[in-house]
Amino acid sequence: MSKVLLHICCGPCAISCVEALRQAGFETEGFFYNPNIHPFSEYLKRYEAVIAAGDRMRLSVIYHKYDFEKFLREVSCIENRQEQHRFCWRIRLEETARMAREKEIENFTTTLLSSPYQDIGQIKVLGAEVAAKYGLSFLPEDFRRGFAESHKRSKEWQLYHQNYCGCVYSEKESIEQREKKRKV
Ligand code: SF4
């Protein structure tokens, strides 16, 4: 059976991705690496939701370092928001590929491909670039079909649902948007 290392951004998104990969015949292992999530209290909520989802699905998950200092240092030198996103996707895909190679898992992919809020096209391109660099296969699955069902199930399981992407910039944007809507 072919193996895949699945980068997991959060518990709710993981559900349908794990099911789709298992249905496609992959032995699936999770990888939680998200130094982009701020503040630490928010990181812990998402981390605990992944533990809960992993238990429900009997999924083995590797919980990797939270090197947010490095993330902040590097992302704060990038002024363009699009470039920040690309940096943020790339470092998580690279770390997943590094871990997959270390564990001799030939394929990797990410739950980011399930999100209607992320640029799936760019993530697929980055995934392919990273895969070529590490001599692995990136699975460019379109997990978005399962997004609604995944989030419905995660509510039944009472998993934590975030209301911003992850970094402090996205938290500010999300609060500003909510404020704007409230005033209309
Ligand atoms: S908005 Fe999301 S993808 Fe973009 S830099 Fe922040 S955490 Fe990363």
Side-chain angles (χ1 to χ4, degrees), residues 8-20:
I8 296 177
C9 63
C10 65
C13 286
I15 300 171
S16 61
C17 300
V18 170
E19 282 179 356

Side-chain angles (χ1 to χ4, degrees), residues 36-37 46 71 75 81-82 84-89 92 112 118 164-171 173:
N36 55 312
I37 302 173
R46 299 190 199 188
F71 176 86
V75 82
R81 284 293 280 134
Q82 286 308 316
Q84 285 184 333
H85 301 324
R86 281 176 57 79
F87 165 76
C88 181
W89 295 321
R92 289 183 284 167
L112 293 168
Q118 306 284 337
Y164 62 98
C165 188
C167 64
V168 68
Y169 303 97
S170 61
E171 185 198 22
E173 286 160 1

Side-chain angles (χ1 to χ4, degrees), residues 37-168:
I37 302 173
H38 307 128
F40 186 48
S41 54
E42 176 72 18
Y43 176 84
L44 289 178
K45 285 179 191 165
R46 299 190 199 188
Y47 170 86
E48 280 161 15
V50 173
I51 292 177
D55 286 349
R56 289 265 191 173
M57 296 186 289
R58 297 180 197 278
L59 178 76
S60 160
V61 181
I62 300 164
Y63 295 92
H64 203 42
K65 60 191 172 187
Y66 179 52
D67 51 355
F68 75 96
E69 297 94 335
K70 184 171 180 290
F71 176 86
L72 280 179
R73 219 172 23 246
E74 294 180 16
V75 82
S76 63
C77 296
I78 305 169
E79 285 182 15
N80 181 285
R81 284 293 280 134
Q82 286 308 316
E83 287 305 314
Q84 285 184 333
H85 301 324
R86 281 176 57 79
F87 165 76
C88 181
W89 295 321
R90 179 180 277 283
I91 57 157
R92 289 183 284 167
L93 290 169
E94 284 237 22
E95 204 60 27
T96 308
R98 221 173 272 137
M99 182 58 70
R101 201 167 65 178
E102 193 180 312
K103 291 180 66 71
E104 298 181 354
I105 298 175
E106 59 273 34
N107 305 292
F108 70 101
T109 189
T110 173
T111 58
L112 293 168
L113 293 175
S114 75
S115 171
Y117 308 110
Q118 306 284 337
D119 187 332
I120 305 293
Q122 286 209 47
I123 293 169
K124 286 182 181 178
V125 171
L126 284 171
E129 284 173 15
V130 171
K133 181 174 168 187
Y134 286 84
L136 299 169
S137 291
F138 176 72
L139 305 181
E141 307 290 312
D142 188 349
F143 292 125
R144 282 177 300 189
R145 282 188 294 270
F147 184 79
E149 176 57 31
S150 200
H151 280 240
K152 184 170 163 262
R153 188 105 50 85
S154 71
K155 282 189 179 147
E156 288 163 12
W157 293 356
Q158 299 184 326
L159 300 186
Y160 172 70
H161 279 233
Q162 63 268 23
N163 58 14
Y164 62 98
C165 188
C167 64
V168 68

